[in-house]
Every structure is written in C-alpha cells, then in structure tokens.
Amino acid sequence: MGRLKLQSEISSIEEEPGDCEVMSNKGAFACMVNSEVGAVLAVMRRNVRWGGGGRYMAGDDQLEHSLIQSLKTLRKQIFLWEHQWNTIDPAVYLMPFLDVIRSDETGAPITGVALSSVYKILTVGMLDLNTVNVESALHSVVDAVTSCRFEVTDPASEEVVLMKILQVLLACMKSKASIVLSNQHVCNIVNTCFRVVHQAGTKGELLQRIARHTMHELVRCIFSHLPDIDHTKQAITDGGDPSIRTEMGGLDKDYAFGVKQSDNGNGSIEYDAPPSSVGFASNASNFSGSMEGLVDENAVGYVSNKEATNDMHLTLEPYGVPCMVEIFRFLCSMLNVVEQTGMASRSNPIVFDEDVPLFALGLINSSIELAGPSIHQHPKLLSLIQDELFCNLMHFGLSMSPLILSTVCSIVLNLFHHLRMDLKLQLEVFFSCVILKLAQSRHGASYQQQEVAMEALVDFCRQKSFMAEMYANLDCDITCRNVFEDLANLLSKSAFPVNCPLSVMHILALDGLIAVIQGMAERIENSTPVLEQAPVVIEECTPFWTVKCEDYADPHYWVAFVRRRKYIKRMLMIGADHFNRDPKKGLEYLQGTHLLPDKLDPRSVACFFRYTSGLDKNLVGDFLGNHDEFCVRVLHEFAGTFDFEDMNLDTALRLFLETFRLPGESQKIQRVLEAFSERYYEQSPHILANKDAALVLSYSLIMLNTDQHNVQVKKKMTEEDFIRNNRRINGGNDLPREYLSELYHSICKNEIRTIPEQGTGFHEMTPSRWIDLMRKSKKTPPYITCDSRSFLDRDMFAIMSGPTIAAISVVFDHAEHEDVFNTCVDGFLAVAKISACHHLEDVLDDLVVSLCKFTTLTNPSLVEEPVLAFGDDTKARMATVTVFTIANRFGDYIRTGWRNILDCILRLHKLGLLPARVASDAADDSEPSVDPVHGKPVASTVSASHIPTIATPRRSSGLMGRFSQLLSLDTEEPRSQPTEQQLAAHQRTLQTIQSCHIDNIFTESKFLHADSLLQLARALVWAAGRPQKVSSSPEDEDTAVFCLELLIAIALNNRDRISLLWQGVYEHIANIVQSTVMPCALVEKAVFGLLRICQRLLPYKENLADELLRSLQLVLKLDARVADAYCEHITQEVTSLVKANAMHIRSQMGWRTITSLLSITARHPEASDVGFEALMFIMSDGVHLSPTNYILCLDAARQFAESRVGSTERSVRALDLMAESITCLSRWKELIEEASKTSQEIDEMWLRLVQGLRKVCLDQREEVRNHALSSLQRCMTVGAEGIRLSLASWLQCFDQVIFTMLDDFLEITHGGHSTKDYRNMEGTLVHALKLMSKVFLQLLPQLSQLTSFCKLWLGILGRMEKYTKAKIRGKKSEKLQELIPELLKNTLLVMKSRGILVRTSAIGGDGLWELTWLHVNNVDPSLQKLASSYRFRGVDVVKAG
C-alpha cells in the first residue's frame, strides 16, 4: 500500500555515539524512569509556581497541580509492575512527561527536562515493534512534541528547548518502531523541524547548525527507507491524493509554536502570542524577504482548499511514499522563489542570499543519494524530479555562487547515476544551458563559475558510460544537440593555454579529456574490439523522423540503429548547409541522399524544417510564408508537427515562432498565423469559439508584443487597452477578462522574439521552452544504456581524436611538473591503444608525429653535449620512452609515423646511444651457415670479419665510448673528471634508452601486420636517402649503412613474408649497387646483405627462388673497381649459398646467375679457388647436375679449364668434371626413353659438352690441351655409347667439333698464333687425327646410310690432305707423314670390306670412287696402286685400325 514493510529489523541510520545501549533488565528500566521523574519534579520545584507549597488553583480541592500529581503517581507505580516492559502500555510512563511538554504553563527549563526524559526513553530501546500499543505511543510523542508550548524566560533556555525538540523528533524517526508512524506524523515532524530551522536564524549559531543538521538527518532517515517500500499497490503511491495534502496542510495551522507575553506575580514575562502556521515572525530570520510566504503556502503537505477531501485513510497509514512525495515537493518548493524573478538569463538570476537554496539543495541531494534508483518505481516522485526539481536546477545552475553551482552539479551527477534513463532531455538541456555555457569564458561567467562547471564536467567524464551514452542518446538523435561533441570540444579547447601559463583550469580539462579516453581504453579490455563497420548506406527513401529501433536494450539492434541515425543527422546538417546557400540545391542534395523522396511531398519538407538544426530561419520563414500552393501545404504540415494540447496561447505562439523568423510581409504573416491558429484551435480549443478567434487573438498578441518591447513606441498599451481591443472576437462574445489579463502580463513580462536566435542548441531556457521540453520528454525514444563494451567508441574517437591529441600535446609542452607529464603520457598511451584497436592508423600516425617533437631527437641539437642535455630533460626522456612504447605495443597500426620514429632512432645512433643489437636479426644466433668440409661458419664469419659493425657511429664505440669523450678535450689541457650531475644525467640517459627496447622493433618485426611492415621498410629506404655517385659525407654514409642494416634485419626476420618486402629491398640495394663506383661500406653492406638474404631465404621460399637468385645479377653489374675489391668475399658467400641451397635452385635462370658469378671468379687470383670449389660441389658425381643447369655448369667448368690463373691441375680437374658429366647424360637418356619422350635435348647437351671440350683443346698449355683431347675422345667413343646419339647429332659433331678443331689446329700451325705459345703441337695434331679416324670408323655403318655421307667423307679426306702438307715450325712433321697414310689406308680397307667404297657403288653418287681416289692420290699415291689388286682380310684390317 505504498508504505514501509513491517519488519522486526529495519536498517536505519546509525545511532548517535551518545545514545544509550538497550537495557534488558526491567529493574534498570524502572530506575531509569524513576530518575527521570525525579529530575522533572526537581526542576519544577525551583519555580515559585510549582514549589511554594500552597495551592496553585483557587477553589480546587487538589493540593498539587495535576502535572506534579501524575508524575508522582507514575513514581509510585513503576516499581510495582512485575511484567516485562514491552507488555506495558508506553502511554502509562510517557504521558506524564508529554503532558508537561504540551502544557503552556511550564517554563523552558521544565519543558527541556521533560523532553530529555522522553529522548532517553526513546533511545534506550524501551520501544520497539514488540511493545504493546507502540503505534499509539509514538503518535502521542510526535503530537506532544510538535505542539510543544512553554514560557520563554530567557533566550538561552529557549534555544535549549528547541534543540531538545529536534533531538526527540529525530529519535522518533530513528527508533526501531518508527515505521509505525503515519504519513501525517512524519510530515508534522519535518514541518516542525523546518520551523525551528526558520526561527533559528535569530538565535545562536549552535542552534542554527543543530537545526539544519537535524533536518538533514530526518530527510536522510526518511528517504533511506524508500528501497524498502512495499509498492505492490502502486495506485495509492502514485495517486498523491489531495486528502493527504489537506490533512498535512492543516498541521501547519493546528500545530504551531505558541508564544504569549503577560506579566505574572513575579514580574516575569510570559510568551503567549497567537499561533501561526509556522509559529515564527517574518522578521525573525536571516532568510531574505523572498522566503516570505514560503512557510505558509509551501509547507509540507500544503494544498489549496479546492483539492481538500475528507479521506483520512492514507494519512493514518504507516508512512511511505505519500509523505515522501509531499516532503520532496516541499523541498522543491523552497527553490520556487525563482518564479518571482523569472528565468531570464541575461541578468543575474540569483538576487537573494544563497543560504536558502543551499540548504534546500543539500536536503534534496541527500534524499536522492539515499533513495537512489528506487525513485524510478514511484512515478509521483519521478515526476517531481523530471519537472519541478530540474527546472529549478536549471535556474540555480546559473547562480553566481560557486557553492550553489557545485551543489547543483552534485545533484545532477547523482540523478545521472540513478535515474538517467528517465532524464534524457533534462540532461541535454543541463549540459547545453549550464555546463557548456558556464565553462566557456566568452559567456561572461566568472572564473569561479568556470572552474566549478569544469570540475563537474570532469566528474561526469569519470563515469565510464557517460560520454558513450551522451553520444548514443543525444548526438545520434536528430532532435537533440551534439552534446558529446560539444563537451569533447570544450575539454580540448579548455586544455589549451593560449598566451598564458598552465593553470588549474587547463589541468582540470586535461583530466576530463583523459578520463574519457581512458574509459574507452578500458572498454577495449572488457570486450572484443569492434572492427571497422561498414558505412551506413540508405538505398531508398524512408521518413527519417520515424526511424525506430526494434529493441533499445539489445546492442544487436540499437548499435546499428544509432549509427544509422547519426548518419541521417550528419546528412541533414550537410543538407542544411546547402539549403542556407541555396534552398533548391539543399533539397536536391537531400533527395540525392534518399532522405527526401524524389518527388517532394509537403510532409517530408515540413519535417526537414522542423527537426533539422542549423537552418537559416530567415529562409525557412520566407519558404513557409510563400503563396505557392506547395509552400502553403508545407506550412500546414509544419504547424501539424507541434503539440499545443492544453497549452496557453502565448506559450504555443512562442514555441511556434522560435523555429523560424516571421516574414515581414503582411500576407505572409497572415498565412503563417492562419496555419498556427488552425493547429492551436484543433488541439486546445478551451474557451475559444473558433479558429478565427485564435487567429485574431494571435495577431493581437504580436501587436502587443511589438508595442511593449519596441523602444520606438513611446506610449505603451495598457491592460485595459488590450482588453478593449479584443472585445467580441470570440464568436461575437468577449473572452474572460482574467484570461486576457494573464496573456497581457505574460507578453509584457517576457517578449515573444519574432527574430529567433540562429544556430543550434539552447541559448536560454525560457518557461515556454521548458513546457515544450516536458512534452517532448514523454515522447522521446527510450534512453540507451551503454555497458562496458566498445560499440560506439570508434565513431566517438574519430570525432575527438584530433583535438584530443592536440590538447594533450600542448599541455605536455607547457607543463613543468612530473605529475602532469605522467598524466599526459597516460593519455598518449590510451589514445594509441584506442587508435590501434579500432584501426585508426591516421590518428596513431598523428600521435607519433606529435610525440616525436617532444623527444628533441628530431631537431638538430644546438647544445654542446646533447647526451647530457637529454639526460637532464625529463620531458624529452618521457616522450622518448612513450614513442617507443607505442612503437612496440601498437606498431601494427603505424604507417607514416615510422619515418618520425626512425628519425629518433637515427639521432640516437649518431649520438652513439643505441644498443649494438638494434641492427641484428633474430636468425644470427640460431642459424649460422656452416662449411660442411671445414666445419666452420662461413657466412657469419665473413660478415663479422669483413663487414664493419655499424651499430654505433665510427667516432665512438657505444654509449660508454660516447660518454668517455666527455672526459677529454681537444686542447692540450689536462682531462677533467665529470661532475656528479653529468654522471647522473648519463645514467638517466642510459636507463631511458634501455627502457625503450628499440631493438624489439626490428627483432620482433615478424609479428607486425603486413601494411605496417611495408611502411617500416619504406621508411627505412626513405631515411637512408638516395645513394650518390659522388662520395657523400661520412655521416650520411653512416646513416645509409645503418638504415640498410635495419632493412636487411627486417627482411631476414620476415622470411615468411619476404614477398611483401622484396621489391622494395631489391630496388634499394640495386640503387646502391648501380650508383657506386668506388668501394665503400655502403655497397659492401648492400652486396653481402643481398647474398645473406638469398642464403637464408632460399630454403624456405621456393616460389621466390628465381626472384632471389635473379637479384644476384646485381653483383655482375658492380663497377669493376668495386667488384675487384670484394670478389673473394663475394665468392665465399656464393659458395656458401650453393652448398647450403643447391637442391633448392631449380630454374635455369637461377643457375645461370650462380654459374655466371662463379665463372667471373675463374680469372680472379684470390677468388678462383673458392669459386672452383663451389663448381666442384655442383658437378662432382653429378649430384646437383640437372638438365636445367647442365649446359651452364659446362660453360663454367670450361672457363675454369681455360683459366690460367689457377694451376694446370685445376684446369685438368675442370676437364674431368666436364668429361665425367657424360654419365649424367646417359642416366637422363634412359629416363627419357622410359617415359617415351624425345631425346633431342640430351643430344644437344652432349653436343655442348664436346663443343666445350673442343674449345679447351685449343689451350696453349700442352697438358691441358692433350687432356682435353683425351676427354673429348672419351666422350665421343665410350661415353657416347650410352647416349645413343642420332646421326644428325653426329653430323653436327663432325662439322662443328672435329672438323672445326682440326681446322683451328691447322691455323695455329700455319702461324695464326705464336708457335712459342703452343708447345709440342705435333703430338696434339697426331692425337686429333687419330680421334677423327677412330670416331669415323666407329660410326661408319650408320653414317654410310646418309645421303650426306659423301660430303662427310670428302671432309675427312680433305683434312688428311691438308695435314699432309702441314708444316710445324717451318717444316713438315714426320709423324704426320707416317700417320696419315696409315690412317687413310686403314679407313679405305674398312670401307671396302663393308662394301662402302666400290667402283660400282651408287652410295654417295657415281663420283664417290673417283673423288676418293683423287684425294688419296694427293695424300699418298701408293695407296691407289694397291686398291684394285690387294685382297684384304677384314679381321686384320680392323686390328690395324
């Protein structure tokens, strides 16, 4: 029934420390009561009236006064009671004391002692819910105390009694049995306490403080029980029946403090003045005159007689919501004095003492703190807060008093915490009209107001969901202001120190800004980051003002709804901007965005005008006043969007004319007012007879408004004039005089502004706007609550990130204290975290750029000792640590910011402050390249021993080396020891660099996202600069080398993603190689870095093997001087690469690159041995030979065989490699035949083999030349048997190899070359001729079948003929003269035995016989004589051959 639940244990406010403990012994109770009786009697006997012993009342047979007699009777009975005290009616032992309190014959001391006795009985626990008739007893106590009367003998004793009254009333409310008090009694208690508070203004300071404290305790005690209210029957709770208010209002008149003055026999003064509703004179308080009437009309439970009824039921119920509603209404009414001064904000609204509003606001704040969210369950209380309380808060929020403003902000904060779901629009106007207005100095607020407003805003920002909910509910609502955006901008701007040092206001704004940012960062930790959502797209036109959400409590629905609504709002604002420049284009733009239909309808345009902020109200007024039919229809639809139900005409007119500027033309005004009047009469006819009456009266109000508020009008219209002017306008009848009078005074008091303020938001809260706000609040969409998940943080952060970074940076720049530095750093890290988690790369880049400026590392240092200066600069060190913390934590989302980070790293590198591991890669320690023969690390040893370490500049060997320079001077002066300050600065610098973990950026780059990694690599290339052909400065070269090291380290650490980096790395190295003409550290690092990359990555990236190996062709493009300087080391790296990755090189292009590199080394004295070692590794036993690399390896082996740089043995070994490779051809031939594939490729490779050997046969060195011939013969005879070459291949062999070789030899012997260079050519010629003869005879059966056999045979005969005539060193060779006829003879015999050379043979044509013997005759005529007569035995001939 809307009251407290009767429970044995009710949680209440703790007892005061002085309260007595509960007494359990009934004897102790009796003694205590006896003691109190004695105390009262003792004080009464002091007075002449009570203690003289004579009769007090003449004619009465009583010897003693009834008060004394009742006390004595109680004294006799208390020790006779044998029952427990809780079974005894409390009225028995309370009534004597209460009679004394009620009596107007007792003085202040007696009343005070009686009150103390009652207080003691209440606090020792004698009364509880188990006590008999406890309800009646407590009611009696309250009735007696609230109607207490006494004679005032002196001011001090009066104050004591008043304090004891407060004490007893508070004890009643704190009693365990207090829940049995009725609504009426609780209201009486509060009313009585407030009277004491009022009267205490003329009393001592102690009474004032105690009275106010008691009032606070009462309110806290009452409202703390609201959560325990049994609201099973809400009807009574919500009804706020007038009967309750009537009964409670009557208490103000019936129960008052009476004071009377009369002379008694002793000359003392008695107080017995007529009672008033509160019992205090109007001048008996320090409250201002504005309080007059408050205690009469606004006392607890006051209502007018019109609302009174005879219903006593609710007043006698145990107290609950009804009394709380009345008490809260009373507290709000204490603030209603503002109505006497109006709500105009152009002047100071607070014109009276701050004491009253502070006291009232404090009580209201206490009630809200304790009632909390329970208020939501009681609509009557909630309604008071939504309307009356918040209206007053809006007014007092503009108070010049910082105390009042601070209290108002505290109340709103509590309301936000507990009831924000019911206060959406109220919160909007509070922040728009109070916080935003006061916190900006341009609105004329004092510094104290600004500071309090900013403190309040910071408190709100510390509520984790505040900004998110402001954004979701207000910024994303087309009818509301962008409160989140405005507050964020306010905080950002307020943090900027403009031409002034850093102040408390700047730090406050910074705290608020960072609180918002950290709230977003914490929400990221509590939920899965919401990735970038798809942009909102409106594909078809739907009425934007009717967009609804299916479920405002489910994020799956409201997140998309809110984002869509924000998009619509943004488009409407853009459309408004277009409209303000050209109305036609503005409407066309909205049609293009599907916010307005393709064919405009009046309803859509009207809603655009009604719900879009930022429109030029002059243009809207002109459009609505236009005579065009469409514009007239829009006007009526526009008027139809207003809710004028039960609204005063002047209020409705104000609201209507605030949305546009009333046109100046009379016809336009006529049309506008007709539409307004029609709508108003439709909703609020009231006493108006028709819409014409509304139209005429509206015109009259506008004319009155002009008359009263135009300074050019000297003679103002009076009330009578106005009433007279509006006679008989209501359907021929007069409107009520009171109605017209009210309208007149309303217009005179508050001007109707026909030129409304432009812009968005609220400029001031007028009564008409408040009325409209209350109506809107009933129709506004439900309040969306945001939990700990970051649904909208990305959109919010995108709005505020730029100003936030700028604000924090400016404060960081101006700050001087470390705690401010730490606050800024926390903000920077939070911004970085949010940017990274929401993939806002541009924001993170901006942050990095801003931070790098504070490191002082990107600026050229002007100080002599930058290391010490850095150690002494706290800001720079903190900024440096922050930059690299961001780079390590959130590097995945850094893009262009890498350039700034690298600038800092390069600066540290130049100063010698980087750790040596920065440029190393993670694979250095775990994957060394090992020479399988010697068991030593090849690649790493070469790199370490031949590539200079570039981790620190050459002028120092690291941080300690750099610092050691401080110990010496360039002059001849003796070295000075560093000071303690220098040592400390050095130590701080060292610790700072160590805490940056710079090396992790590169060693852990394998975890970077692809885009970030690519940008880091590009930044390194950019930082290195373009290589110059002309030698650059040592410092520039050092920087380029360092950047190249880092680039190579990144490439090696990201072998799984090398395809992403490879193009950039290769192009950078190529630029270095192609632009360098002299050996230097940069080109050395480029070449060996390239080789190292290939060596590491080939085993893992087969798909990139060709690209990697092709890149090695850059080595072939090195300038001759550069190549010569590094040839040996390059060859060692290539050898290591081949040994480790031969099986991974599968393409011909890759092998071509490798063999080309190896071939170059064949003629280099220092590199040839290593190069040949690599070639042997490839060709030995044919393990790594394949059809792909066979020919390439042959060419390389031939070049080593021909090279005279190495020993003859190496050339011979190279020939052996070539000759032994024929076994691979045999093996491949078998595989091809098994697969039924053509073997032409094998024939080609064999032909290339013998051609290569043929070229080496021309070598000047006899041993090499002869070994080449032997190898050639082996390949053509024994080796060729397994290959089964085609006859065409053999013909090519004779033509391109044998004949060419013989011709070359002949040329050499004829003087084509110096015979001194060719020793023992005779033996070579003999060997060559035998080779030709043997091969020919071996293939004779097959060759003889060819049509070209004759040509081949004649070629052989021709060479024999030439060799017969050949001269070596000027004379014919005897060996040749003996050998050639023998070879020819043997060949002829074999041909004849085979039937190839016969006279009648047609093979080769009819001339074969004649041509043969023609050449034979030239060689040896004796052979022709025996041709026809000699009979040969085939077997003997073969053996001779």
Side-chain angles (χ1 to χ4, degrees), residues 205 303 312 396 428 435 539 579 607 644 778 839 993-994 1144 1267:
E205 181 71 18
V303 291
M312 294 292 295
F396 282 99
E428 177 195 7
I435 297 298
E539 298 179 350
F579 181 87
C607 290
F644 296 143
K778 297 176 181 178
H839 298 186
I993 302 305
Q994 288 175 344
H1144 303 293
H1267 195 77

Side-chain angles (χ1 to χ4, degrees), residues 545-615:
W545 60 93
T546 61
V547 177
K548 301 293 182 182
C549 179
E550 294 184 29
D551 188 349
Y552 286 89
D554 188 347
H556 294 290
Y557 292 99
W558 69 255
V559 172
F561 164 73
V562 162
R563 295 186 71 247
R564 178 183 178 86
R565 202 166 53 168
K566 181 62 177 176
Y567 172 81
I568 292 174
K569 187 174 184 179
R570 190 180 294 114
M571 291 300 102
L572 286 174
M573 294 181 70
I574 297 174
D577 186 57
H578 286 294
F579 181 87
N580 293 341
R581 292 195 295 266
D582 187 336
K584 182 179 179 181
K585 290 184 178 179
L587 296 176
E588 289 176 352
Y589 171 82
L590 292 173
Q591 287 176 298
T593 57
H594 302 293
L595 293 182
L596 292 180
D598 294 336
K599 183 179 181 181
L600 291 177
D601 62 86
R603 178 70 173 169
S604 299
V605 178
C607 290
F608 168 63
F609 290 156
R610 182 74 170 91
Y611 301 118
T612 303
S613 59
L615 287 172

Side-chain angles (χ1 to χ4, degrees), residues 875-912:
K875 183 189 300 181
R877 287 186 286 109
M878 293 183 71
T880 302
V881 173
T882 306
V883 165
F884 289 108
T885 299
I886 292 173
N888 280 302
R889 290 184 188 175
F890 311 113
D892 287 339
Y893 306 97
I894 297 176
R895 297 295 181 263
T896 59
W898 283 121
R899 293 190 175 188
N900 302 83
I901 294 174
L902 284 175
D903 284 342
C904 297
I905 293 175
L906 291 176
R907 179 62 177 165
L908 293 173
H909 167 68
K910 292 175 182 179
L911 295 175

Side-chain angles (χ1 to χ4, degrees), residues 333-345:
S333 68
M334 293 174 66
L335 300 173
N336 283 342
V337 290
V338 67
E339 294 178 0
Q340 300 179 10
T341 57
M343 298 188 66
S345 60

Side-chain angles (χ1 to χ4, degrees), residues 126-171:
M126 294 178 68
L127 298 179
D128 56 28
L129 293 177
N130 297 321
T131 304
V132 175
N133 205 20
V134 66
E135 182 178 354
S136 176
L138 276 181
H139 289 178
S140 299
V141 171
V142 173
D143 290 342
V145 175
T146 55
S147 60
C148 174
R149 297 175 182 272
F150 59 93
E151 293 180 354
V152 178
T153 57
D154 60 272
S157 61
E158 180 187 2
E159 291 185 20
V160 170
V161 172
L162 293 177
M163 284 190 287
K164 290 183 181 295
I165 289 173
L166 296 173
Q167 196 175 37
V168 172
L169 292 177
L170 183 58

Side-chain angles (χ1 to χ4, degrees), residues 1043-1189:
C1043 291
L1044 181 58
E1045 281 186 328
L1046 296 179
L1047 188 63
I1048 294 171
I1050 289 175
L1052 293 175
N1053 277 313
N1054 289 273
R1055 66 189 183 192
D1056 294 332
R1057 299 185 292 175
I1058 190 62
S1059 57
L1060 180 70
L1061 300 171
W1062 178 244
Q1063 189 63 29
V1065 174
Y1066 171 76
E1067 290 178 358
H1068 182 58
I1069 294 177
N1071 288 334
I1072 295 173
V1073 169
Q1074 294 172 4
S1075 62
T1076 305
V1077 295
M1078 294 295 292
C1080 63
L1082 180 59
V1083 71
E1084 182 181 8
K1085 175 61 69 176
V1087 171
F1088 292 118
L1090 181 62
L1091 288 166
R1092 196 167 170 214
I1093 290 173
C1094 292
Q1095 180 179 345
R1096 293 286 183 83
L1097 300 184
L1098 274 175
Y1100 305 101
K1101 290 294 175 182
E1102 295 183 3
N1103 59 326
L1104 274 180
D1106 288 350
E1107 289 290 332
L1108 294 171
L1109 293 170
R1110 185 182 291 112
S1111 69
L1112 295 180
Q1113 294 178 4
L1114 289 174
V1115 179
L1116 303 175
K1117 299 178 182 179
L1118 284 170
D1119 185 91
R1121 291 165 290 188
V1122 177
D1124 185 66
Y1126 303 122
C1127 187
E1128 181 181 3
H1129 303 148
I1130 291 173
T1131 308
Q1132 290 176 351
E1133 289 291 335
V1134 173
T1135 301
S1136 300
L1137 184 149
V1138 170
K1139 291 181 178 181
N1141 302 286
M1143 65 181 62
H1144 303 293
I1145 305 174
R1146 295 186 173 90
S1147 69
Q1148 188 176 29
M1149 185 281 308
W1151 280 112
R1152 179 178 289 109
T1153 303
I1154 296 297
T1155 54
S1156 298
L1157 291 171
L1158 296 177
S1159 299
I1160 292 175
T1161 65
R1163 291 172 177 78
H1164 194 281
E1166 298 174 353
S1168 60
D1169 289 340
V1170 180
F1172 185 68
E1173 181 184 352
L1175 186 62
M1176 288 180 62
F1177 178 81
I1178 298 171
M1179 298 187 68
S1180 294
D1181 302 325
V1183 175
H1184 298 296
L1185 281 177
S1186 67
T1188 303
N1189 66 357

